[in-house]
Amino acid sequence: MKYRTLQRHFRESLKSLSRNGWMSVASISAVTVTLLLVGIFALVMMNLNHFADNIENDVEIRVLIDIINEPEKMKAAEDKLIKQVKSLPEVAEVKYSSKEEELKILIENYGEDFSLYEQSNPLRNVLYVKAKDPQQTAELAKKIDKLDNTYDVIYGEEKVKNLFSFLNTGRNIGLVLILGLLFTAIFLIYNTIRITITARRDEIEIMKLVGATSSFVRTPFLFEGLWLGLFGSIIPIFVVSIVYHYVYNHLTPRIKGEMLQLLDVTPLVFQVNFILLALGIFIGVWGSFMSVRKFLRVY
Amino acid sequence: MIHMKEVYKKYPNGVVAVNGISVDINQGEFVYVVGPSGAGKSTFIKLMYREEVPTSGEVIINGINTAQLKRKEVPLFRRHLGVVFQDFKLLPKLTVYENVAFAMEVIEEQPKKIRKRVLEVLELVGLKHKLRMFPNELSGGEQQRVSIARSIVNMPKVVIADEPTGNLDPETSWEIMRIFEQINALGTTVVMATHNREIVNKIRKRVIAIEGGMIVRDVDGGDYGYEI
């Protein structure tokens, strides 16, 4: 195809968009409404997922270390243990906390009564271990338990199991909902485009009778689909940006310090907007392609 | 130019629309195709612009055997023909100018040449002053003139017309016929299926009469020959 012809198709598509007036408005509105739903839902789901990640990442393993009476041997044993734990492939982070530090935390949390123990500290030195993938926590805990010089390995087995199964169910439901919504969006937009093109099937027939090749007939329709998607995604993009900005600024000061933090405006809003734009354009072009194809085959 | 040899056309529903037609039409001829409704005129015409392919036999237009054309080659083949329909078949969302220019854009002609040639043919059919109007703003006769302009804009050797005056009043029909005569005078072959008795009897040309899918009469300067 010559560049000149491509330009012609480009011009024709815009012309046709304006001359088909209400049909174009109807299609663009359908795209707008559906993408708006997709956008807002995506914001909510991505934040929920973020909450889940936060909760999961808070899960850590406490490794209580055996007490050996000779301080030097104790030090050597601890160093060896730390080294061994760090070398495990699932481990993301290892933090050492001496029994003195542990007691301080205890006193901070539960009060001065515990300062009695400062005379004779019954606590043990502790390693705090985080898994790369929080879902591997149980497995990792078992591995660490088998190493020498560990007295006990604690990670709240039941609690973690329940939490993870809850979060995973939540994520799966979200995924199903998102897929359902996407499918509905594709179906709705495709149908609207198909109706507009069906109304113009005679035009396709005439073009073919005058000697237009299939690609000559098709290309302006593809451009038109692109415009429908592009123009249809403008309002959702603005709404998503403004609404999330507002919600973020409004809510963040109130939930400061809580575990549940909203995702930052950037890059989230850019990501969602990109998805909306890409989705709009893709469905627009693909919908046009499929609809025109049907009539091109006939003539 | 147009060469048909023992052409049969049987539709999937079993109707035999063309039952063994052999005919030759030469460059520069003006031919009426007449006959009662359902006689096979339309199929005969459709075979020429490859809307239909023969079940058996040969249809050769401008040296091209239509049955051997691949689907992709059909558009290229049609660019060498001009086709005019009873219902005009104009693109409703394009202006008069754009409708005619479309046939040239299809062959990726230079914009400058398109502009010049489109104005030329619109002048020929007398519609230069209405080039910005849309088809629904024109009368039937005017729409048919646009359709004729479009059919000749690429200077085809053959113009095929299927009842071009079928939807028009007598006076307008005469105007349309004058344009066809003009086109024919420039050397273009014109094949026209028609029911218009008056026109056939007045503007005497070769008449091919089809009945029951066969040519029953083929006379130079013949008359319509049917009482309506």
Side-chain angles (χ1 to χ4, degrees):
Chain A
M1 193 185 297
K2 286 183 186 167
Y3 175 65
R4 194 171 65 218
T5 309
L6 203 65
Q7 279 181 312
R8 179 250 170 217
H9 291 328
F10 189 81
R11 273 198 316 273
E12 278 317 297
S13 67
L14 285 171
K15 213 189 275 174
S16 163
L17 203 65
S18 79
R19 285 184 187 168
N20 281 297
W22 285 109
M23 275 296 211
S24 307
V25 172
S27 300
I28 291 173
S29 310
V31 178
T32 300
V33 171
T34 350
L35 288 185
L36 203 56
L37 272 174
V38 172
I40 287 174
F41 197 72
L43 283 183
V44 172
M45 284 315 296
M46 281 166 111
N47 268 298
L48 286 180
N49 197 38
H50 178 61
F51 294 163
D53 282 347
N54 277 349
I55 294 170
E56 276 187 355
N57 287 331
D58 243 41
V59 172
E60 56 187 2
I61 303 169
R62 287 178 72 212
V63 184
L64 307 187
I65 302 171
D66 268 339
I67 296 171
I68 302 170
N69 280 327
E70 291 165 62
E72 268 169 36
K73 273 193 185 167
M74 173 86 187
K75 178 86 173 69
E78 279 177 350
D79 285 348
K80 192 182 162 207
L81 182 64
I82 292 173
K83 220 171 153 189
Q84 281 177 321
V85 170
K86 273 188 176 165
S87 70
L88 291 171
E90 296 93 341
V91 171
E93 193 187 309
V94 181
K95 221 168 57 194
Y96 177 79
S97 169
S98 67
K99 60 183 183 182
E100 289 77 24
E101 286 169 320
E102 286 295 290
L103 186 60
K104 236 188 252 167
I105 298 170
L106 200 67
I107 294 168
E108 261 174 39
N109 285 345
Y110 295 102
E112 287 297 315
D113 290 349
F114 286 90
S115 52
L116 280 174
Y117 289 117
E118 274 172 358
Q119 320 301 322
S120 151
N121 187 342
L123 299 175
R124 288 159 188 276
N125 295 341
V126 176
L127 288 183
Y128 288 98
V129 182
K130 274 191 182 174
K132 274 181 193 151
D133 176 1
Q135 310 253 4
Q136 289 177 328
T137 303
E139 214 178 304
L140 181 60
K142 259 186 220 157
K143 273 194 184 173
I144 295 174
D145 203 17
K146 281 184 196 143
L147 298 174
D148 290 338
N149 298 315
T150 56
Y151 175 75
D152 199 2
V153 175
I154 305 162
Y155 68 96
E157 196 169 349
E158 276 308 301
K159 226 173 74 189
V160 167
K161 251 191 209 161
N162 287 339
L163 178 68
F164 284 170
S165 88
F166 173 74
L167 292 179
N168 284 341
T169 314
R171 282 200 182 105
N172 287 339
I173 292 175
L175 195 69
V176 168
L177 285 178
I178 273 230
L179 286 178
L181 192 63
L182 274 183
F183 186 76
T184 317
I186 290 174
F187 184 74
L188 265 179
I189 297 173
Y190 167 66
N191 256 320
T192 319
I193 291 174
R194 208 186 52 179
I195 291 166
T196 40
I197 290 181
T198 306
R200 292 161 62 190
R201 59 191 300 173
D202 292 347
E203 293 180 35
I204 296 174
E205 184 199 344
I206 295 168
M207 290 176 186
K208 298 281 300 201
L209 281 174
V210 178
T213 57
S214 293
S215 86
F216 194 93
V217 176
R218 190 193 299 125
T219 314
F221 280 104
L222 297 189
F223 273 124
E224 234 180 294
L226 185 133
W227 300 131
L228 294 180
L230 191 69
F231 294 145
S233 56
I234 290 176
I235 292 179
I237 282 176
F238 270 101
V239 171
V240 160
S241 307
I242 292 167
V243 165
Y244 193 66
H245 224 276
Y246 177 78
V247 168
Y248 184 85
N249 288 339
H250 201 68
L251 281 187
T252 306
R254 297 180 183 209
I255 55 174
K256 213 171 181 184
E258 299 277 337
M259 199 153 54
L260 305 182
Q261 289 295 318
L262 288 177
L263 282 164
D264 287 341
V265 174
T266 46
L268 177 68
V269 162
F270 286 113
Q271 289 166 342
V272 171
N273 284 346
F274 176 77
I275 292 173
L276 293 183
L277 188 67
L279 195 67
I281 289 176
F282 168 74
I283 305 175
V285 173
W286 176 81
S288 297
F289 182 85
M290 296 305 284
S291 313
V292 175
R293 194 178 69 155
K294 200 171 117 201
F295 299 118
L296 282 177
R297 273 211 220 116
V298 178
Y299 306 110
Chain B
M1 174 88 310
I2 295 173
H3 171 76
M4 290 196 188
K5 197 176 164 198
E6 287 163 26
V7 174
Y8 289 83
K9 176 66 193 179
K10 188 177 177 180
Y11 284 107
N13 63 9
V15 173
V16 178
V18 170
N19 194 3
I21 282 184
S22 297
V23 71
D24 277 288
I25 297 171
N26 297 319
Q27 180 66 49
E29 274 197 273
F30 194 124
V31 181
Y32 294 117
V33 181
V34 302
S37 298
K41 290 194 307 289
S42 271
T43 306
F44 179 71
I45 292 284
K46 281 179 181 167
L47 284 165
M48 287 187 200
Y49 63 89
R50 213 259 180 212
E51 180 78 346
E52 300 291 349
V53 273
T55 314
S56 70
E58 269 185 346
V59 178
I60 295 172
I61 313 286
N62 293 330
I64 294 165
N65 188 335
T66 62
Q68 285 169 3
L69 283 175
K70 295 196 188 93
R71 236 169 55 119
K72 270 192 162 176
E73 296 167 335
V74 173
L76 305 172
F77 162 77
R78 285 192 182 146
R79 292 173 187 179
H80 299 290
L81 305 171
V83 187
V84 179
F85 304 91
Q86 180 172 4
D87 56 356
F88 323 134
K89 293 209 191 295
L90 297 174
L91 293 164
K93 297 279 159 46
L94 299 188
T95 62
V96 167
Y97 177 90
E98 289 163 348
N99 258 290
V100 178
F102 185 84
M104 288 186 88
E105 287 170 355
V106 155
I107 60 170
E108 307 195 38
E109 190 54 271
Q110 286 174 17
K112 225 167 46 183
K113 281 191 187 163
I114 296 181
R115 226 166 297 141
K116 185 164 172 273
R117 175 68 181 153
V118 170
L119 293 177
E120 227 172 74
V121 287
L122 282 178
E123 174 100 71
L124 178 78
V125 298
L127 277 179
K128 206 174 166 184
H129 58 295
K130 294 198 168 175
L131 52 86
R132 280 182 215 287
M133 289 194 166
F134 287 92
N136 62 4
E137 298 168 324
L138 301 176
S139 70
E142 286 168 334
Q143 289 187 52
Q144 192 58 297
R145 282 192 270 164
V146 178
S147 155
I148 294 171
R150 180 181 64 190
S151 75
I152 58 169
V153 75
N154 284 331
M155 306 196 199
K157 291 196 186 115
V158 191
V159 171
I160 295 160
D162 193 1
E163 312 232 11
T165 61
N167 282 352
L168 305 176
D169 60 69
E171 201 177 322
T172 317
S173 300
W174 286 114
E175 284 171 27
I176 295 297
M177 285 312 294
R178 268 193 285 280
I179 296 171
F180 275 115
E181 279 197 282
Q182 241 176 311
I183 295 168
N184 181 237
L186 294 169
T188 310
T189 312
V190 177
V191 180
M192 182 187 295
T194 184
H195 273 133
N196 197 318
R197 184 164 181 264
E198 257 178 83
I199 285 174
V200 177
N201 287 343
K202 188 126 182 198
I203 306 176
R204 292 278 172 151
K205 303 283 181 188
R206 178 175 171 191
V207 176
I208 295 175
I210 295 181
E211 277 177 50
M214 289 186 278
I215 295 181
V216 293
R217 184 159 56 94
D218 185 350
V219 191
D220 263 326
D223 61 8
Y224 185 70
Y226 294 97
E227 297 303 323
I228 301 170

